[in-house]
Amino acid sequence: MSRTLVLVVVAALLSETWGVPLSSGSSPRAPNHFPDGFYLGAATAAYQIEGGWNEDGKGESIWDHTLHAQPNLTSDGQNGDVAADSYHKYKEDVKLLVGLNANVYRFSLSWPRILPTGDTDNINQAGIDYYNNLINELLANGIQPMVTLYHWDLPQELQKLGGWPNAVIADYFVEFARIAFENFGDRVSRVGITLNIDWYEPVTSSADDAEASDRQLQFECGLWAHPIFSREGDFPEVVKLRVAANSRKEGRTRSRLPTLSPAEVNLIRGTADFFGINHYSFSLATSGSSGSEPSKTYDSGVVTSVFDGYPNSFWISDIPWGLRKLLNWLHKSYPGYPFFITENGWSDPPGVLNDTARIHYYRGYLSALLRSINDDGVPVIGYTAWSLLDNLEWMSGYTIKFGLYSVDYDGPERPRTAKASVPVMAQIYKEKAVPLEDFENADTTPPS
Ligand code: BGC
């Protein structure tokens, strides 16, 4: 699955306290402290943790269907049938959040658990009950629920209609969202969108590389964010121009990028209350040709590479100042919107309980986040670490671990164990601050 094509819509099931103070409050705050009311917690997604894939009337999702039909698609041949069994263990998972001193939990609704066929003529009350129970359990423990409406598990019955490329799916999604709001809406106040965005540092200080970096961000983020969050709306100019030029070269009479009418531009602009960001990593960017023709990568005309000299795990580079640069770029591009870091995390191979690399990553990224808020004035209102639990990492199955808590996938009860990162994060979340020494030692400023 392309990491750049991810579009996750989130609804925050939150009280009016969502409107927390943003950057500087009335009293001065130490630079290693988060603002009052800042949200700190953890995130998960339904298919990755719930299991109970066909229980209590749940319908089949595209992931259930695909991994049953083609088990070899995941690196270990595993699927999410049971996963971390959070469908049954949600109360225990809320306790894990309490152990972290989290005040927010971001989880997703399984669409086919609520609408087994995607159609509103069949609403699965057991699915609604499950999420209501989870939400109530969170609230009873002082944790704000933050709900992702769609984290990639489309009902298979809707895939039979062609899935997302068929525009009619948008109508089904609206109906699903309406049902979610009707059932959980007494606790819903804001709606936003989450995008996956890494930072792309120009390879050299040349103007050409600076343009390549900006172009990459426009293709990865602006394509989705510009229509919603920019003052003028519509797709970014550079994206429109390059896709149109490549379309002409391919002998097409019109651009592969749809043209939005002025009415559509107006309709889309400003339709989110906050901007959610999933940020994990960092790459270098320079101009050049890559990707097959036609493709978004080809259209961007950017070649990306790994920046050596920093800790690296799978596809993630631990370079905290990348987050700071990204937040500044986003704030400059889309002023007036609060940001929420909806995902940020480090992956280990299986069996690492003393997860020192994860601790290093989180101390660094939380420090960079603090610099962005306190030194640079970027309005960020919350942060949810990915992930609460080791879970099904899509095509990598259970071979890559993102959890703060480990899950023993050989145990039928799926026992959870805190990794070394848990007390570290619990202290940061409790104090609402990164310890000063860690904060000062973190890589939050680009090397000169
Ligand atoms: C996705 C998660 C995934 C994580 C790590 C995120 O962008 O939302 O579902 O587990 O990346 O790959």
Side-chain angles (χ1 to χ4, degrees), residues 80-322:
D81 285 5
V82 180
D85 199 22
S86 283
Y87 184 63
H88 299 108
K89 294 173 79 90
Y90 71 91
K91 286 192 179 172
E92 189 177 328
D93 291 344
V94 173
K95 288 206 182 89
L96 302 184
L97 286 157
V98 171
L100 264 181
N101 297 314
N103 61 5
V104 61
Y105 177 45
R106 172 177 176 260
F107 61 95
S108 79
L109 305 180
S110 158
W111 186 344
R113 194 177 293 291
I114 292 175
L115 297 178
T117 61
D119 212 309
T120 50
D121 65 354
N122 177 9
I123 300 176
N124 183 30
Q125 189 55 44
I128 289 176
D129 292 347
Y130 170 66
Y131 293 113
N132 261 329
N133 291 340
L134 172 59
I135 289 167
N136 293 341
E137 188 72 13
L138 288 165
L139 290 173
N141 282 280
I143 299 168
Q144 294 289 349
M146 181 178 190
V147 173
T148 304
L149 285 169
Y150 182 72
H151 205 126
W152 309 350
D153 45 357
L154 188 74
Q156 176 61 21
E157 282 300 318
L158 297 185
Q159 186 63 30
K160 290 183 187 164
L161 305 183
W164 284 106
N166 183 345
V168 77
I169 301 302
D171 297 333
Y172 282 95
F173 182 70
V174 169
E175 289 176 358
F176 168 57
R178 185 177 48 75
I179 286 166
F181 278 85
E182 276 169 10
N183 284 280
F184 317 123
D186 50 335
R187 291 147 286 173
V188 172
S189 66
R190 297 174 78 100
V191 178
I193 186 170
T194 280
L195 302 174
N196 263 349
I197 322 167
D198 287 343
W199 174 249
Y200 295 92
E201 180 72 6
V203 170
T204 69
S205 55
S206 72
D208 194 53
D209 283 345
E211 265 179 41
S213 154
D214 194 73
R215 210 159 59 237
Q216 177 67 18
L217 289 163
Q218 294 296 355
F219 270 84
E220 178 166 325
C221 160
L223 180 59
W224 319 105
H226 201 270
I228 299 171
F229 297 107
S230 70
R231 293 216 164 102
E232 61 278 21
D234 204 353
F235 298 116
E237 210 50 36
V238 67
V239 174
K240 288 199 287 190
L241 289 175
R242 290 184 72 91
V243 180
N246 282 346
S247 303
R248 274 195 302 276
K249 271 198 245 156
E250 291 155 17
R252 298 172 201 274
T253 54
R254 62 178 175 186
S255 176
R256 288 184 266 102
L257 188 72
T259 303
L260 299 180
S261 69
E264 286 171 324
V265 168
N266 278 332
L267 181 71
I268 298 168
R269 196 174 47 206
T271 46
D273 298 328
F274 69 90
F275 189 155
I277 300 155
N278 292 350
H279 176 82
Y280 288 85
S281 196
F282 181 113
S283 295
L284 295 171
T286 190
S287 287
S289 181
S290 69
S292 54
E293 200 179 340
S295 70
K296 190 154 71 76
T297 307
Y298 179 79
D299 288 337
S300 72
V302 178
V303 176
T304 61
S305 56
V306 171
F307 193 6
D308 288 330
Y310 287 87
N312 214 277
S313 172
F314 299 101
W315 45 271
I316 301 176
S317 295
D318 176 355
I319 311 181
W321 52 267

Side-chain angles (χ1 to χ4, degrees), residues 3 48 151-152 196 278 280 315 343 386 391 393-394 402:
R3 300 193 53 75
Q48 295 180 270
H151 205 126
W152 309 350
N196 263 349
N278 292 350
Y280 288 85
W315 45 271
E343 287 181 32
W386 186 269
N391 55 51
E393 178 51 29
W394 307 110
F402 274 95

